[in-house]
Amino acid sequence: MRGSIPFSCYPENCTLASAAVLRRNLFLIKCLDGFCCRSHSQRMQGTQSAAVPAAEADAEKTIQMITPALDPIRYKGQAGKIAVIGGCREYTGAPYFAAISALKIGADLSHIFCTKDAATVIKSYSPELIVHPVLEESYSVRDDEKASVSAKVLSEVGKWMERFDCIVVGPGLGRDPFLMDCVKDIVKHARQASIPIVIDGDGLFLITNNLDLVSGNSLAVLTPNINEYKRLVEKALGCEVNEKDGNYQLQLLSTKIGGVTILHKGKSDFISDGEAVHCVSTFGSPRRCGGQGDILSGRFVLIQLLHQQIFYYKSYLNYFDNNSVAVFSSWARHHLLITNGTIGKSLSNPMVLGCIAGSALLRRAAAFAFQDKKRATLTTDIIEFLGKSLEEICPAD
């Protein structure tokens, strides 16, 4: 267990006038070994410790629980339909990685909504992806056209929105101001439609500066790496990242943003929705090639969708109804519906289940890829091992 978090990192005490003042105070705290802060904290909260343990998640059991068996009675789309919002002139690989990884695990359909400049390039990567060249950047839009173009973009994406089981926002998005404004509207629309949403890459830059877009949204997942997490903590809590009490700070951060699920990526992945902290520490690969985070976001969608498959199959008996983290979370969401969330309070959040399963599967695939390619391992190699990784845990036969 970790020690008490510095008093300056509590929400009600994170209102220092400037970053310089904050750094000076943190320096004084370190010099005093945190004595004054701990004493004041204890006076306010009694003897209760702020330390929060992180429970190692039973990832394989989670994946087995939410992954449905293949069945010939299902039709196209029931295994999941996901959408990736991202892709611009500079970045075309990230949205491809996110979308194709969902298909490699078992989702039926993957859509990408990108700029016109990126569309042809992304289409050339794979004929399996459905690419919509509807996003626009500032250079192609006059000032007097911005309102009408923005409305058109939202309309084009909006007419597809309710078909999706989950959307991923951010891979290859870039930071063009006009494009960011359009994506704000898309995020708002997804929330109104109760569509699960995974925020990654440049989407986290947008959210960090507009926390109200996801605050209180239980269907939202943020997947920051170390630098993105640092910016998020500084913005939401007004303090620096505290490694010593990282679990408590992660839980505090999630609570501060209204209970959104946060997957803090690192040597071990830590996951919290404000209720508890879960850890996935399975060793993956020492190779850190770009694009692995995009696979993770795509796998999360698949987790969401796998749970959904179970729900559709079960409900078929009564009436016929009907992308890695994203897919798994969708599957998990509907699995919990049919089981009434009976697996325990700490794991009753499908977004948390999606993060656990997505993280574990990526690590397993990365380990296989590194065993085969060593230093030459690329993200495309990891993607090719996603199917094998899932098959070892949940055989198709």
Side-chain angles (χ1 to χ4, degrees), residues 316-336:
Y316 177 86
L317 301 177
N318 299 312
Y319 59 93
F320 194 81
D321 190 3
N322 88 214
N323 67 258
S324 141
V325 170
V327 178
F328 277 121
S329 293
S330 181
W331 286 340
R333 186 183 180 195
H334 292 279
H335 173 80
L336 292 173

Side-chain angles (χ1 to χ4, degrees), residues 206-274:
L206 172 66
I207 295 302
T208 299
N209 293 291
N210 300 272
L211 291 175
D212 58 298
L213 290 174
V214 296
S215 182
N217 184 0
S218 62
L219 296 178
V221 176
L222 310 183
T223 61
N225 59 27
I226 292 176
N227 291 325
E228 292 162 342
Y229 184 75
K230 178 182 178 181
R231 290 192 290 267
L232 196 59
V233 168
E234 290 174 346
K235 182 68 175 184
L237 299 182
C239 61
E240 296 181 353
V241 172
N242 187 300
E243 297 292 345
K244 182 179 179 181
D245 298 289
N247 294 339
Y248 177 71
Q249 190 174 57
L250 174 60
Q251 190 170 5
L252 185 66
L253 178 62
S254 175
T255 301
K256 181 71 174 180
I257 312 178
V260 301
T261 299
I262 301 174
L263 192 167
H264 180 198
K265 298 178 291 191
K267 181 179 179 180
S268 293
D269 292 341
F270 291 91
I271 303 149
S272 181
D273 60 353

Side-chain angles (χ1 to χ4, degrees), residues 87-90 115-118 135-143 145-146 176-179:
C88 62
R89 285 182 298 173
E90 292 85 0
T115 65
K116 295 175 181 178
D117 290 331
L135 302 183
E136 297 282 359
E137 295 182 86
S138 298
Y139 77 92
S140 63
V141 182
R142 299 197 310 266
D143 288 343
E145 297 177 328
K146 287 185 176 180
D176 178 81
F178 178 73
L179 181 53

Side-chain angles (χ1 to χ4, degrees), residues 123-186:
K123 286 182 180 181
S124 71
Y125 294 152
S126 172
E128 305 289 345
L129 305 177
I130 303 170
V131 183
H132 307 261
V134 299
L135 302 183
E136 297 282 359
E137 295 182 86
S138 298
Y139 77 92
S140 63
V141 182
R142 299 197 310 266
D143 288 343
D144 61 338
E145 297 177 328
K146 287 185 176 180
S148 60
V149 172
S150 179
K152 181 179 179 180
V153 169
L154 181 59
S155 176
E156 288 294 321
V157 178
K159 67 184 182 183
W160 289 89
M161 187 68 72
E162 293 188 0
R163 306 183 190 189
F164 301 130
D165 300 287
C166 190
I167 67 171
V168 180
V169 174
L173 185 63
R175 298 185 181 181
D176 178 81
F178 178 73
L179 181 53
M180 283 289 187
D181 286 340
C182 291
V183 174
K184 282 183 188 178
D185 294 335
I186 294 172

